[in-house]
Amino acid sequence: MIEEVGTSPEGDLIINVGPQHPSTHGVLHLVITLNGETVKNCEPHLGYIHRSIEKMCESLSYRQFIYVTSRMDYLSSHINNQGCSLTVEKALQIEVPERGKVIRVLMAELTRMASHLLWWGALGMDVGAFTPFFHAFREREVINDIMEETCGARLTMNYIVPGGVMYDIHPNFQQKVKDFITLFKSKIDEYDTLVTGNIIFQQRMKGVGYISGEDALSYGCTGPVLRASGVKCDIRKIAPYDGYEKVQFEEIIETGCDSYARYLVRMKELKQSLSIIEQLLDNIPEGEFQAKTKAVLKLPKGEFYSRVETARGEFGVYIISEGGLTPYRIKFRSPGFSNLSALHHMTKGSKLGDLVATMGTLDLVIPDIDR
Amino acid sequence: MFLVDYIKTVYNGVTSLLKGMRMTGYYFTHHKEIITQQYPDVKQVLPERFRGEVVMTHDEKNEHRCTGCTACELACPNATIKIVTKFDITPDGKKKKALDTFVYHLELCTMCNLCIVACPTDAIKMAQSFEHSVYDRSLLTKVLNKPGSKLMEGVE
């Protein structure tokens, strides 16, 4: 392991990027070996935001541990909560009412859109464009307001609980989401005009950060990173949960394998999420939003696993229960960790500036990598 | 062939830049599209479900609805709530458990709403206040039941 700044025995320059660097999206620390401006090796160092969430969950009950998972991948906190709730429901064989399921899917897709919007703005910053950030945050703010009204919080909602959702949707929810859809449809073309079609942006993205489908699979990449390499991996299609089998949407596959392909996958996913929301918004079934559960949840002895598709990829929750009030062991499979591990493969031999652009298209959230 | 490609690239580059600049110019001249909020001067009305801090509701007779059952204390994941109970003597001479002090540590609270859901008598709720910064950390430890308050009649 390379520890210090200086020169390697071969005469290459070793520098640290991060942990406090604006382009690393949080406290990511990369030790980079440079030959001139060419990256020879790039080694991520983790542990700067480790909070031992998995260990912490062992002392929390099955209702309490869900709120902590909002703090992992904070941009798709709803979907993390959904994954945990699904595992608990699977173990206790709770059937979630249809209304609860639809509200969950609506919230998950709104979260995915908010996450992709933030990624789009931050990617613009990474490649040197400042304006996209404001455009993306303008629309994201509307989603945050919708979340605030129904869930009570903007980022760490803790809205999805075992058995359904915590509250029914706010009376204004449907109208506000409809307003958002009209607003977003008028704005999404602006994104393409401003960034996608831009020649400088395309030159920075095309042919950069190449990873083939087989390599991406062997590194364990999931989500848009793997789909941009031409591999089908959407959990919403492979193993549908919470009624995703009933909605019509396409799984976006690109075969470019580079940063531009990853960019296109996410931009097209925004439109797919919008179409899922449109399908469900007027068809929220009447009835209960939460199944009747016991006040104290006790999982039977055994091992339980379930997985969901977050904005970054596959998120898995693995619970080992000894039959008590708290889990014996919890393991989270976070998408960011595997996606980051492919970074050195993607950037070997590229320029330092391309490393930042590649990192931007991986959509890293550091608290998710470093639980 | 190379020359044609080169000219095409230059043409596409210039048009794409002009398209982007046109968009920027549009926002430069259309001030209605600006959505900045003048926060400290103009305060936004927050939705009623917004989780700012836990408060206990009191009516005009200074009565609250908390029976001291500690359901919220058990539901809290990070020991934010501490309930001290006492024994009241009812008129017919029986001992009855009642709330003495409801200690709430705002500095530990993550606004997960589990205590509000757990409360069987709707004694506590979330308030919309969010400007919590103080100079001394001890000011964030609050006692939620007002001095001299007692349990509302009919709440079990």
Side-chain angles (χ1 to χ4, degrees):
Chain A
M1 190 192 269
I2 305 153
E3 283 293 341
E4 286 168 59
V5 179
T7 25
S8 72
E10 296 87 44
D12 297 325
L13 187 68
I14 299 164
I15 57 162
N16 292 305
V17 177
Q20 297 292 339
H21 191 275
S23 74
T24 56
H25 298 220
V27 282
L28 177 64
H29 179 195
L30 294 173
V31 180
I32 298 173
T33 315
L34 283 176
N35 179 11
E37 214 183 315
T38 311
V39 178
K40 281 184 86 177
N41 193 20
C42 131
E43 196 177 301
H45 283 195
L46 304 175
Y48 290 95
I49 192 158
H50 185 75
R51 295 147 296 171
S52 75
I53 282 181
E54 285 175 10
K55 190 74 191 164
M56 203 151 80
C57 289
E58 288 170 20
S59 62
L60 295 174
S61 77
Y62 291 108
R63 276 188 203 284
Q64 289 171 343
F65 89 95
I66 289 170
Y67 95 98
V68 196
T69 57
S70 306
R71 271 88 182 158
M72 284 165 34
D73 184 354
Y74 48 78
L75 292 180
S76 40
S77 50
H78 263 313
I79 313 177
N80 287 357
N81 296 351
Q82 194 181 7
C84 297
S85 301
L86 281 171
T87 323
V88 175
E89 281 153 16
K90 202 183 209 176
L92 289 172
Q93 287 159 355
I94 300 169
E95 186 60 38
V96 182
E98 283 302 312
R99 187 179 176 84
K101 280 184 184 175
V102 170
I103 295 173
R104 277 181 178 191
V105 171
L106 276 171
M107 287 299 175
E109 292 309 316
L110 279 173
T111 317
R112 196 184 312 277
M113 287 181 81
S115 168
H116 281 351
L117 279 172
L118 191 138
W119 156 83
W120 183 76
L123 178 72
M125 298 257 271
D126 283 340
V127 296
F130 204 77
T131 322
F133 194 73
F134 295 110
H135 282 256
F137 266 63
R138 181 185 57 194
E139 270 77 72
R140 188 170 173 269
E141 189 64 29
V142 182
I143 301 182
N144 274 355
D145 282 344
I146 294 168
M147 294 288 179
E148 198 177 24
E149 198 168 47
T150 292
C151 318
R154 298 166 69 82
L155 202 65
T156 51
M157 294 89 164
N158 191 30
Y159 178 64
I160 296 177
V161 291
V165 290
M166 201 179 246
Y167 295 120
D168 204 353
I169 49 171
H170 196 272
N172 295 342
F173 177 79
Q174 277 160 304
Q175 188 52 46
K176 283 215 166 176
V177 177
K178 269 176 201 160
D179 292 347
F180 169 71
I181 291 171
T182 3
L183 173 84
F184 192 74
K185 277 188 173 165
S186 68
K187 301 290 183 194
I188 191 152
D189 296 332
E190 284 188 6
Y191 298 172
D192 290 339
T193 321
L194 203 62
V195 174
T196 317
N198 189 294
I199 189 82
I200 304 171
F201 181 77
Q202 290 194 0
Q203 300 274 336
R204 288 293 304 276
M205 287 288 145
K206 278 183 180 166
V208 169
Y210 184 88
I211 186 160
S212 67
E214 285 136 42
D215 284 336
L217 263 179
S218 70
Y219 276 106
C221 296
T222 44
V225 179
L226 187 56
R227 287 200 284 278
S229 298
V231 182
K232 283 188 179 179
C233 64
D234 199 325
I235 306 296
R236 294 175 291 173
K237 284 278 186 200
I238 301 171
Y241 54 92
D242 274 351
Y244 268 112
E245 67 274 7
K246 287 176 198 158
V247 287
Q248 303 290 320
F249 68 101
E250 279 172 44
E251 182 179 355
I252 310 290
I253 306 280
E254 287 282 331
T255 46
C257 306
D258 56 356
S259 291
Y260 194 63
R262 290 193 280 278
Y263 174 85
L264 288 180
V265 166
R266 290 211 177 84
M267 291 311 271
K268 286 178 185 168
E269 269 188 15
L270 272 175
K271 288 174 188 158
Q272 291 302 320
S273 292
L274 202 66
S275 105
I276 294 176
I277 293 169
E278 274 184 323
Q279 285 171 45
L280 292 178
L281 192 60
D282 286 323
N283 305 320
I284 304 178
E286 295 294 319
E288 293 286 307
F289 55 90
Q290 197 178 4
K292 288 219 160 37
T293 47
K294 286 178 187 163
V296 179
L297 298 180
K298 257 188 184 176
L299 259 64
K301 199 171 176 179
E303 299 174 9
F304 309 98
Y305 183 76
S306 69
R307 51 189 187 161
V308 287
E309 178 82 16
T310 73
R312 260 145 227 92
E314 181 181 337
F315 174 75
V317 186
Y318 181 54
I319 298 180
I320 301 177
S321 167
E322 295 270 273
L325 288 171
T326 56
Y328 175 75
R329 174 83 168 91
I330 281 194
K331 170 86 180 86
F332 296 116
R333 187 253 180 245
S334 71
F337 186 83
S338 316
N339 290 354
L340 175 70
S341 65
L343 180 66
H344 86 102
H345 181 93
M346 291 177 184
T347 55
K348 201 168 264 181
S350 69
K351 297 278 184 278
L352 184 60
D354 292 340
L355 174 103
V356 175
T358 312
M359 212 155 58
T361 55
L362 284 182
D363 196 9
L364 301 173
V365 169
I366 312 305
D368 178 39
I369 296 162
D370 212 4
R371 299 176 296 280
Chain B
M1 220 40 226
F2 169 76
L3 200 66
V4 174
D5 278 352
Y6 184 74
I7 293 168
K8 239 183 212 169
T9 318
V10 170
Y11 175 75
N12 285 339
V14 171
T15 43
S16 78
L17 289 180
L18 283 176
K19 268 184 198 164
M21 285 311 287
R22 199 177 140 209
M23 166 98 52
T24 314
Y26 174 80
Y27 281 104
F28 187 70
T29 48
H30 289 70
H31 293 276
K32 274 182 190 166
E33 300 270 348
I34 296 170
I35 52 148
T36 314
Q37 291 171 0
Q38 306 292 336
Y39 157 59
D41 301 327
V42 185
K43 278 187 187 167
Q44 205 190 350
V45 182
L46 288 165
E48 62 183 311
R49 285 185 191 175
F50 181 78
R51 302 169 190 167
E53 63 172 322
V54 176
V55 289
M56 188 176 277
T57 44
H58 288 73
D59 65 358
E60 62 277 2
K61 287 188 278 178
N62 202 14
E63 288 174 338
H64 59 74
R65 297 176 63 87
C66 180
T67 55
C69 69
T70 70
C72 50
E73 191 179 337
L74 292 169
C76 183
N78 31 348
T80 303
I81 296 168
K82 181 85 193 106
I83 289 171
V84 184
T85 50
K86 61 180 178 188
F87 282 100
D88 273 351
I89 310 290
T90 49
D92 44 322
K94 277 181 192 163
K95 269 187 176 180
K96 200 187 167 199
K97 204 166 128 186
L99 175 74
D100 184 39
T101 33
F102 190 109
V103 185
Y104 170 58
H105 295 274
L106 180 56
E107 75 270 28
L108 300 176
C109 186
T110 56
M111 319 296 168
C112 66
N113 214 36
L114 289 174
C115 52
I116 316 287
V117 174
C119 184
T121 55
D122 292 334
I124 46 177
K125 64 164 191 170
M126 281 286 179
Q128 276 77 47
S129 58
F130 61 95
E131 291 151 319
H132 296 310
S133 34
V134 283
Y135 282 106
D136 189 0
R137 200 196 316 185
S138 63
L139 293 171
L140 291 171
T141 304
K142 296 176 178 179
V143 175
L144 293 190
N145 52 334
K146 288 181 186 165
S149 63
K150 59 178 196 298
L151 181 66
M152 205 179 283
E153 265 180 53
V155 178
E156 286 298 324

